[in-house]
């Protein structure tokens, strides 16, 4: 069952942005009106949120694909295991800590980290280049 959800999440996040937008709107509306809807619908909303919009705090190796936002406490590992984050060009990625050999891709643009950094926010600037900025506020 878990693999089925992973595949569904990959397909909807990468290929079907309108579906993801609809799911996000459903989650937002049920969160605002949770006391007016059945517990079953509220539970479905929470399950969808966890399924589509949360990542584990540590991503060490492998690939992560998302629509427009990725937020991870620690990306990669001290041993330099290859880790990739792929997001739409209009997206934003936030890392509290990022290790060497982590690759981020915004649409067709890529950036690889060669030393430990963080906290850092990544996005594509108006000039079309990947930009780095510090994170503000608590996570």
């Amino acid at each position: 069952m878990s693999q089925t959800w992973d595949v569904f999440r990959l397909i909807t996040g990468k290929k079907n942005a309108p579906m993801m937008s609809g799911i996000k709107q459903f989650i937002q509306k049920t969160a605002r009106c949770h006391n007016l809807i059945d517990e079953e619908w509220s539970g479905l909303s929470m399950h969808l949120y966890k399924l589509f919009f949360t990542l584990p705090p540590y991503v060490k190796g492998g690939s992560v694909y998302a629509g427009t936002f990725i937020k991870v406490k620690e990306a990669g590992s001290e041993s330099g295991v290859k880790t990739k984050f792929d997001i739409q060009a209009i997206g934003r990625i936030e890392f509290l800590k990022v290790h060497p050999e982590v690759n981020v891709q915004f649409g067709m643009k890529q950036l690889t980290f060669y030393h430990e950094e963080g906290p850092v926010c990544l996005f594509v600037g108006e000039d079309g280049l990947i930009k780095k900025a510090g994170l503000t506020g608590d996570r």
Side-chain angles (χ1 to χ4, degrees):
M1 182 69 168
S2 176
Q3 289 178 339
T4 304
W5 280 111
D6 289 343
V7 170
F8 180 74
R9 187 170 161 178
L10 176 65
I11 292 169
T12 56
K14 192 89 166 147
K15 304 281 186 201
N16 195 342
M19 179 183 266
M20 288 301 291
S21 177
I23 291 171
K24 192 172 187 178
Q25 287 175 2
F26 170 75
I27 292 168
Q28 290 169 340
K29 287 178 183 179
T30 55
R32 282 192 296 251
C33 305
H34 68 88
N35 57 337
L36 301 175
I37 61 174
D38 290 345
E39 192 174 308
E40 187 176 354
W41 284 105
S42 182
L44 174 62
S45 174
M46 182 57 70
H47 182 72
L48 287 170
Y49 176 81
K50 288 178 181 178
L51 178 67
F52 288 101
F53 301 106
T54 60
L55 286 172
Y58 305 98
V59 178
K60 299 180 179 193
S63 298
V64 172
Y65 300 92
T68 58
F69 186 64
I70 295 173
K71 185 176 186 177
V72 175
K73 287 184 181 178
E74 189 171 346
S77 71
E78 293 175 2
S79 64
V81 65
K82 290 190 183 295
T83 309
K84 182 176 182 179
F85 294 86
D86 192 341
I87 194 165
Q88 295 176 14
I90 60 169
R92 188 175 84 221
I93 300 175
E94 295 180 1
F95 298 128
L96 273 186
K97 185 183 210 179
V98 59
H99 292 281
E101 296 301 323
V102 169
N103 177 273
V104 295
Q105 182 170 341
F106 290 84
M108 299 302 292
K109 308 238 184 287
Q110 292 189 46
L111 172 76
T112 301
F113 287 86
Y114 296 104
H115 60 277
E116 188 178 299
E117 293 186 41
V120 64
C121 176
L122 304 158
F123 57 94
V124 175
E126 291 180 13
D127 59 1
L129 300 174
I130 296 176
K131 304 290 184 184
K132 290 183 195 178
L135 288 175
T136 58
D138 292 335
R139 288 174 42 114

